[in-house]
Amino acid sequence: MLAQYLQIKGEHPDALLLFRMGDFYETFFDDAKVLADTAGVTLTSRDAKSDHPVPLAGVPHHALDTYLHRLLEAGLTVAICEQVEDPALAQGLVKREVVEIISPGTAMAPELVNTATGVYCLAWAPRREGPGGWALLDASTGDFRCGQETTTLESLCERHAVREVIVHEDTTDGQMQRWRTARPGVVFNRVNGAWFHPEFARRTLIDHFQVAGLGAFGLEEEGREPACTAAGAALRYLSALNLRRPEQVTTLGFVAPGDRLVLDEETLRNLEVFRTFRGDRGAGTLVHHVDGTVTPMGRRLLEQRLAEAMTDLDELNGWHAGVAAAVDDRPWRTALRAILERVGDLERLAARAATGRIGPAALRQLGGALAAVDELAAAAPSGHHRNHPAAGWLDALTGFADLSGRIFRTVAEDAPATVRSSGFIADGVDGELDRCRSLAGDSRGFLAGLQAREREATGIGNLKVGFNKVFGYYFEITNKHLDKVPERFQQKQTLVNSARFHTDELKEAETSILEAEDRAGELETTIFADLLAAVGAQLGPVVAAARAVANVDLMLGFAELAERHDYRRPLCDDSLELEITGGRHPVVEQLLEADFIPNDTVLDGVGRQVLLLTGPNMGGKSTYLRQVALIVLLAQAGGFVPARSARIGVTDRIFTRVGASDNLARGESTFYVEMSEAAHILHQMSRRSLVILDEIGRGTSTYDGLSLAWAITEFLADRLGPRPRSVFATHYHELTELEDQIEGLVNLQLEVKEWEGRIIFLHTVRPGRSDKSYGIHVARLAGLPEGVLHRAEAILASLSAGDRRDLPARLPGTEEGPPAAASAPQLSLFRESERDALAALRELDLDRISPVDAFMWLVKIRTQLDD
Ligand code: ADP
């Protein structure tokens, strides 16, 4: 047996092999230790007394799903090896085969996947130059998309619910390690490099979709090789694991570069789109608070939309008009949503049906879902909604009445979850099945009659008919009555207190009952398989229905949200304007106990191109910055926005960076990270981008930071550059002076009131610069000891009274300034000669200098300063 085990294990060295032995799945050697560690089962050993005991750990077969869940959570790939012949009939060793391999990113069973998000396996094919190819494949729904762009693997992981990443086997250990550290929730696997070979990948796709070329998927165009390669590798990986054709994958979408508003990793994190700063999903994230959908498909589409919002004006306006109509007609919307709730997770049920991983009970659910789709298609165009997008999407679908009717007629109403037990096919479906069943049923009646007759004939009152698997049907008679047993009874078995017999009549009945039951079982299996094939034949329309339903659900969900939180319809156009009145932060406003103070934003890419925001800590700067970005994102995702009105010139990218964010996980200094992120923005931004910077330059010394923040601001506003619409929050008040020098730069501040030495945050944004930081006030609110606060106030007073003299308008190292530079703003606590003196003081080696030399040095410095 161990030889058989080792041979099979040798074929699947990278997977944890669960080896079926009777009622258990066993593991041996290292796998046993891994299983014991991750699933918390006891580690024992086989042949414990020998010199080479074999470590052993197992799980009961009926609890497989529970343990599978734990193993996948731990990032393991699991191979399930079953006994593929009946042990009772086997000659010698039972034949065993691996029937399925499940990896964390390719699981399908409902117990193993989260309904709210997709479960993507991402194939990543980076290239030394040019954009890398990516492909996302969700085995549980069949969703399959690919694209190519200059991005990082981390960004792709943040953008989509990626559970597993596969890359070429040549990827270095160091690289794998870096990814694993940066994304602990994702499993990274290296796979056969041949799968990433462009020609092999192409063939994989062509063979799977049974097409002559990939033109229909947009992959035949020049330069689409990276996307195509990644897609081929992803599909090949899935079929290698499943050991069969992934039938649920019916189409492949190509996401063309520039077609979507994509956010990079940092921006998604800063805006807390999918995860909070702490890394949690759920409350606090944008997706959680703007989710008005009622089906898992709608919810997953919302995720996808936020990750890849729209940029096409027609598409956007179509969505906004659709949402508007749904907002205006609440009864219609409510009626449709009630039907939607009954559709449930059609997409995943369809994928399970396509791959044969569906039991009778779930198949009935699928029937119910399809019936609901028909109802939805009938209800959507009612009233004046004939031209509503929802009606249009559903209209394209063929009716599912026949299919759902057939499912309901065929599968019994209270059908069990699996086909292991019998009775899941309804009565009246098949004449022969009915006959077999009634024969089996009749025989039972017959047996009861026989028992009564034999009691009568023999005079044994407690004679009874029994059944077991080995001996079949028998009469059981207790020892007390054995003397009354007639000749025609043949003894089969002797027990302690009784004996078992049969008669010719009983044998005959037994044969016909068992035959009927066997035949009924066979018939049920065949009928179920036929039904699955019928569902499979309609897979295309069913999948299309699932996608249509997802869109309808999302559109109505946006409408529901709009009504619930008073969101308004944004106007998207191709201008460079961004005009928001009464804008709110969609998440903060829902979490805040107090009222949220709405604020306006006006950017136009010309006269108001860079908004420079100052104000005390806790004033609301970060909230304001993010709300601007989130309103744009929501609008371009197709929804209404938390504002009184919004006019949005379509945005191609949103960049946000927060200064000195902790990114220690990557082992780079925070300041380095901050600067490399800023560099990324400055290289990638375009005229249509929205750039949001929060306290950039904070992670270094004041002068460095100020200089960098200054130079970055100038670059954003550079007339020869792309000049993206930008909002920049900073605590370098010196920067506000730039308003006079740079055209298009406008100062904004967050209003505060001082009252009896205290500070009141009004959270209103208004024009102008804030000249005080109120740092000490904020520290008081935070509960710093009074003594410390008084001392800080005294220090501040003396510092403020100190010298503030002129500096050149531009800091060293920047190019020549405009003429206005002559009016030299004040930028520093110290003038140049003082800074030189300080620098010299820092360099002084106090361990070596003699008292006399020290005195001479002081005289020299003093003279310089006096000069
Ligand atoms: P800053 O970035 O200036 O330090 P934040 O944006 O972090 O300030 O805001 C501090 C707190 O003020 C937030 O946690 C929020 O509770 C509150 N706040 C911010 N903006 C508003 C607003 N517009 N209306 C009401 N409360 C707000």
Side-chain angles (χ1 to χ4, degrees), residues 568 577-585 596-604 608 610-613 620-621 623-629 631-632 641-648 690 692 726-728 746-751 762-768:
R568 301 289 166 82
E577 260 147 75
L578 180 56
E579 203 175 315
I580 301 169
T581 55
R584 286 134 32 215
H585 189 298
F596 190 91
I597 313 293
N599 278 305
D600 300 347
T601 308
V602 182
L603 276 162
D604 60 13
R608 294 173 67 90
V610 180
L611 302 181
L612 194 79
L613 184 64
K621 296 188 296 298
T623 307
Y624 179 76
L625 290 180
R626 289 182 173 83
Q627 110 189 5
V628 175
I631 286 172
V632 171
V641 295
R644 246 189 357 267
S645 74
R647 181 164 163 231
I648 295 168
L690 174 65
I692 303 282
S726 319
V727 192
F728 189 171
V746 176
N747 285 331
L748 294 179
Q749 61 170 322
L750 273 147
E751 207 173 357
L762 299 180
H763 300 306
T764 23
V765 175
R766 58 182 182 89

Side-chain angles (χ1 to χ4, degrees), residues 287-317:
V287 65
H288 178 85
H289 291 275
V290 299
D291 178 16
T293 63
V294 291
T295 73
M297 296 168 288
R299 161 70 190 223
R300 293 194 293 264
L301 183 62
L302 172 64
E303 294 223 331
Q304 193 179 319
R305 266 305 164 68
L306 292 175
E308 293 169 351
M310 298 174 279
T311 52
D312 183 83
L313 274 180
D314 290 339
E315 206 181 350
L316 276 169
N317 289 328

Side-chain angles (χ1 to χ4, degrees), residues 428-556:
V429 173
D430 181 272
E432 195 186 349
L433 176 62
D434 290 348
R435 273 195 301 283
C436 290
R437 278 181 180 163
S438 78
L439 200 65
D442 283 354
S443 316
R444 277 189 204 105
F446 171 81
L447 289 173
L450 185 63
Q451 174 174 294
R453 265 189 285 128
E454 292 291 7
R455 279 183 186 176
E456 182 88 33
T458 57
I460 306 172
N462 63 358
L463 171 149
K464 62 173 196 270
V465 175
F467 175 82
N468 74 24
K469 272 193 189 156
V470 183
F471 293 102
Y473 287 93
Y474 51 77
F475 291 116
E476 183 156 322
I477 300 173
T478 50
N479 291 348
K480 205 170 106 200
H481 300 289
L482 285 183
D483 54 336
K484 293 186 212 146
V485 175
E487 290 268 306
R488 60 194 169 81
F489 275 51
Q490 301 144 32
Q491 185 147 352
K492 272 172 128 180
Q493 200 185 1
T494 313
L495 307 176
V496 183
N497 298 317
S498 61
R500 290 171 175 176
F501 301 86
H502 56 198
T503 63
D504 291 343
E505 202 183 358
L506 182 60
K507 256 199 216 155
E508 243 169 65
E510 174 184 294
T511 315
S512 61
I513 295 171
L514 293 184
E515 270 174 12
E517 281 177 356
D518 277 358
R519 181 69 189 137
E522 260 170 43
L523 286 168
E524 287 206 73
T525 311
T526 323
I527 294 168
F528 193 71
D530 286 350
L531 182 59
L532 273 188
V535 175
Q538 291 228 42
L539 192 66
V542 172
V543 169
R547 307 251 147 97
V549 168
N551 277 284
V552 174
D553 187 23
L554 181 60
M555 187 171 271
L556 300 184

Side-chain angles (χ1 to χ4, degrees), residues 112-152:
L112 303 179
V113 296
N114 179 348
T115 44
T117 62
V119 183
Y120 286 105
C121 178
L122 168 71
W124 173 232
R127 296 195 308 169
R128 217 164 291 136
E129 263 170 47
W134 56 260
L136 287 162
L137 178 50
D138 185 338
S140 70
T141 62
D143 184 23
F144 190 23
R145 283 174 292 144
C146 65
Q148 48 193 50
E149 61 189 80
T150 311
T151 181
T152 62

Side-chain angles (χ1 to χ4, degrees), residues 242-365:
N242 283 177
L243 311 168
R244 58 185 125 169
R245 219 177 95 86
E247 298 285 354
Q248 74 272 43
V249 181
T250 55
T251 182
L252 167 62
F254 175 71
V255 183
D259 271 7
R260 299 277 141 189
L261 162 63
V262 286
L263 310 189
D264 56 31
E265 183 195 6
E266 290 308 317
T267 303
L268 287 167
R269 266 204 228 168
N270 290 336
L271 297 177
E272 298 182 287
V273 176
F274 299 122
R275 297 188 299 158
T276 63
F277 288 125
R278 282 208 237 110
D280 304 331
R281 299 190 178 265
T285 62
L286 178 72
V287 65
H288 178 85
H289 291 275
V290 299
D291 178 16
T293 63
V294 291
T295 73
M297 296 168 288
R299 161 70 190 223
R300 293 194 293 264
L301 183 62
L302 172 64
E303 294 223 331
Q304 193 179 319
R305 266 305 164 68
L306 292 175
E308 293 169 351
M310 298 174 279
T311 52
D312 183 83
L313 274 180
D314 290 339
E315 206 181 350
L316 276 169
N317 289 328
W319 266 80
H320 295 145
V323 177
V327 171
D328 292 344
D329 190 345
R330 185 195 306 172
W332 176 75
R333 182 178 86 230
T334 313
L336 293 193
R337 280 164 59 87
I339 305 174
L340 276 170
E341 276 178 35
R342 282 186 279 122
V343 176
D345 205 341
L346 175 60
E347 200 179 20
R348 281 200 174 139
L349 286 169
R352 285 167 64 195
T355 53
R357 289 181 182 83
I358 194 165
L363 195 59
R364 263 190 86 93
Q365 272 179 29

